[in-house]
Amino acid sequence: MHRIRLQFVTGLVLFILPVFFSKYIWSSPGFSLMAAGWFFFSGYLLYSYFIAPLERFSVLMPEVKEAPHFMEFIRETGTRLEELRNTARRAIKEKEEMASILFSMVEGVVTTDSGGRISFMNPAAERLFNLEHGSALGKFPREVWREFELVELFHQVFVTGKPQSKELNLDPPLRKYLSLELVPIRAAEYEETRGVLAVVRDLTRLRHLENMRTEFVANVSHELRTPLTSVKGFIETLLDGGLENMEATKRFLTIIYQETDRLNRLINDLLDLSRLESGETELKRARVFLAPLVEEVRQTLQNRLTEKNLSFSVELGPTAVWADEDRIREVLVNLLDNAVKYTPDGGSIKVSEVDHGDMQEFIICDTGFGIPRESIPRLFERFYRVDKARSREMGGTGLGLSIVKHIIDRHEGKVWVQSELGKGSCFHFMLPKFQQE
Ligand code: ADP
């Protein structure tokens, strides 16, 4: 830079010098004073317009400081600016990529700064903790969360600089099961902690599934043990001398027969359900009319309908659905069998339909015991029964409605129930219509 400055001053002097040797200027002192003033003024202007900005450049970019002359200085500055522009573009792109990764992550990411305040929270974390966008930024964890354990985790990692991982069960209103991994933010391994980075995963669904599986195994064991215990008890009684009494023997054998029959039904339902859940059975879809199927099922139930003096009416038109006939028969068997089981003597059962364009809705209504409102959301769960004793007494397995739900779901349909306690229930299911082409 010194050299360029020297070159500039020398150039200026050489440029103005002939004026000072002019005879006219020397001969008039007023003019010589003006020329000197003009010389310093134009020198100052040129310096502040051209050299001073270059000096600022040379401070910002030490690499171009040693340029041998003005043109080289300008060229190097240009090249350097180009490089800086490319670096800045790359940095902006990388930052944008990083931001989009963090924003689209399924896991929640939270960071705190060196003061312990929250400096970043991605949308997934905001969703997990039910926070409004940006509302946690700049706050301390204790101001954002009421859960002591969560706040303490951030504090521990910040103070000790040691990573921590924990699974937390958040109380209502969040009601979530979360896994948290917290690590200190440091520039290098032995440096001081600058903040905390937390990765949060939502394990609520997984935990729910695990609970369901455990519950299912417990339920199956219980359901199998009850009839087996009863069968074993009656056989023991018979072996202990009960065989001598013909009447009692007959009664016990009837019970044993009923219990083994129930076991058989339970195992068949379980196998059916597991096949449906695993998706290993393909649906054999074709054009299916509901009216003949309902008639078929009615015939199998006729004895019980007569026994209980139940009236049975069908209002079905000729609309066909796109379905697996055997599976839909299974749905009808379960729903109509329930209607018969849970309707007291003298009641009525009605099957009807409603047109919904591409879909057809079928409704099976009875004038039975009805279902309490609080039981309706759980009705299609495996082994859920409103009245356990009554269901057992009727020979139910508690799996019928979950089989129905699986079958209808696999047909891209929908099943739901409307019921009033003491008045009766209506089970609705919707299926896609058969399309002609
Ligand atoms: P189950 O073998 O016990 O009948 P389901 O899965 O078919 O099992 O039905 C689950 C429970 O739903 C039954 O135990 C019963 O309490 C209730 N339920 C089903 N259908 C009816 C109905 N039509 N009227 C009243 N309650 C019903």
Side-chain angles (χ1 to χ4, degrees):
M1 200 59 216
H2 291 306
R3 210 184 303 167
I4 292 173
R5 216 177 294 146
L6 200 68
Q7 283 172 8
F8 174 78
V9 174
T10 319
L12 196 69
V13 170
L14 287 175
F15 180 67
I16 300 287
L17 213 56
V19 178
F20 286 89
F21 288 112
S22 129
K23 223 162 104 200
Y24 181 66
I25 282 175
W26 283 123
S27 59
S28 95
F31 266 120
S32 63
L33 210 65
M34 260 173 66
W38 171 247
F39 169 73
F40 284 113
F41 180 63
S42 53
Y44 172 74
L45 278 184
L46 285 171
Y47 181 83
S48 54
Y49 271 95
F50 293 102
I51 298 296
L54 291 184
E55 273 181 340
R56 246 172 277 140
F57 263 137
S58 72
V59 173
L60 289 174
M61 289 181 274
E63 299 90 334
V64 295
K65 225 176 188 169
E66 296 314 317
H69 54 82
F70 184 75
M71 287 313 287
E72 186 65 15
F73 181 89
I74 294 292
R75 209 176 301 124
E76 274 188 27
T77 309
T79 320
R80 184 78 193 122
L81 278 177
E82 184 75 28
E83 279 171 20
L84 283 178
R85 196 173 62 171
N86 289 341
T87 316
R89 269 197 198 139
R90 264 199 309 277
I92 291 172
K93 202 165 162 247
E94 274 169 20
K95 197 171 168 240
E96 281 173 356
E97 271 173 13
M98 192 62 83
S100 59
I101 290 171
L102 286 169
F103 273 72
S104 44
M105 267 174 81
V106 186
E107 286 87 4
V109 178
V110 184
T111 60
T112 58
D113 59 19
S114 53
R117 291 173 196 270
I118 293 172
S119 53
F120 176 80
M121 191 180 272
N122 72 346
E126 289 176 334
R127 267 196 306 277
L128 277 177
F129 293 114
N130 223 354
L131 295 169
E132 265 180 41
H133 180 57
S135 62
L137 295 183
K139 290 186 185 163
F140 289 107
R142 69 178 132 81
E143 293 173 300
V144 179
W145 297 295
R146 271 187 295 146
E147 288 72 16
F148 173 75
E149 277 181 292
L150 182 59
V151 175
E152 190 57 19
L153 271 176
F154 275 90
H155 180 70
Q156 283 296 319
V157 176
F158 191 69
V159 173
T160 61
K162 286 194 184 125
Q164 301 252 7
S165 58
K166 198 159 191 175
E167 290 188 2
L168 287 184
N169 206 352
L170 300 187
D171 294 332
L174 285 176
R175 221 188 274 276
K176 290 224 163 89
Y177 192 79
L178 303 178
S179 126
L180 287 120
E181 308 265 352
L182 292 95
V183 286
I185 303 174
R186 291 194 188 107
E189 203 179 336
Y190 297 105
E191 287 231 348
E192 212 177 299
T193 307
R194 286 191 198 169
V196 176
L197 165 73
V199 179
V200 193
R201 284 183 202 89
D202 189 357
L203 302 183
T204 318
R205 222 179 91 78
L206 208 69
R207 180 46 69 107
H208 180 65
L209 287 177
E210 272 172 19
N211 285 348
M212 263 173 63
R213 199 176 334 132
T214 322
E215 214 173 283
F216 179 66
V217 173
N219 275 329
V220 171
S221 322
H222 178 75
E223 293 293 329
L224 292 174
R225 199 157 12 127
T226 317
L228 273 177
T229 315
S230 147
V231 167
K232 195 172 166 236
F234 284 114
I235 292 177
E236 273 169 9
T237 318
L238 288 174
L239 289 175
D240 284 349
L243 276 170
E244 279 132 42
N245 182 340
M246 259 326 264
E247 190 124 331
T249 307
K250 213 168 158 196
R251 208 175 65 243
F252 290 168
L253 283 176
T254 314
I255 297 173
I256 291 172
Y257 175 77
Q258 281 168 350
E259 292 295 350
T260 46
D261 192 40
R262 196 149 81 86
L263 268 176
N264 197 26
R265 249 177 299 129
L266 185 68
I267 288 164
N268 282 340
D269 277 0
L270 277 171
L271 286 175
D272 207 18
L273 198 61
S274 103
R275 258 185 247 121
L276 277 167
E277 280 186 345
S278 68
E280 75 188 37
T281 42
E282 287 259 320
L283 287 185
K284 294 187 203 90
R285 290 177 93 152
R287 181 188 196 173
V288 177
F289 293 98
L290 263 276
L293 278 184
V294 172
E295 179 50 25
E296 235 179 78
V297 180
R298 188 195 64 80
Q299 280 174 16
T300 63
L301 298 170
Q302 191 53 54
N303 286 348
R304 283 159 66 206
L305 286 170
T306 323
E307 236 172 63
K308 291 183 88 174
N309 192 24
L310 298 175
S311 77
F312 193 96
S313 62
V314 181
E315 287 171 16
L316 292 178
T319 312
V321 288
W322 177 236
D324 182 326
E325 190 175 311
D326 289 340
R327 291 296 178 189
I328 298 305
R329 188 183 292 107
E330 213 175 328
V331 167
L332 291 172
V333 167
N334 276 308
L335 294 180
L336 291 172
D337 181 66
N338 278 351
V340 173
K341 272 195 303 197
Y342 302 112
T343 303
D345 295 4
S348 64
I349 297 168
K350 184 176 156 192
V351 185
S352 57
E353 66 185 348
V354 180
D355 191 336
H356 286 279
D358 286 349
M359 306 289 279
Q360 189 81 351
E361 178 186 344
F362 299 94
I363 312 162
I364 298 176
C365 285
D366 61 55
T367 55
F369 305 119
I371 299 153
R373 192 193 292 248
E374 64 276 13
S375 296
I376 288 182
R378 300 198 56 194
L379 206 68
F380 294 91
E381 282 178 21
R382 293 176 292 195
F383 294 117
Y384 184 80
R385 290 146 163 151
V386 178
D387 184 336
K388 279 203 166 127
R390 185 187 283 158
S391 160
R392 281 227 179 82
E393 189 191 315
M394 307 278 183
T397 61
L399 293 173
L401 288 182
S402 45
I403 291 176
V404 166
K405 181 158 170 41
H406 265 94
I407 295 177
I408 300 295
D409 282 353
R410 285 204 56 194
H411 281 83
E412 299 96 39
K414 217 169 101 184
V415 58
W416 69 101
V417 61
Q418 284 176 319
S419 183
E420 206 175 318
L421 205 58
K423 289 208 168 153
S425 316
C426 284
F427 283 82
H428 304 244
F429 62 93
M430 195 108 94
L431 288 171
K433 272 188 196 162
F434 174 76
Q435 306 289 347
Q436 202 56 55
E437 94 293 354

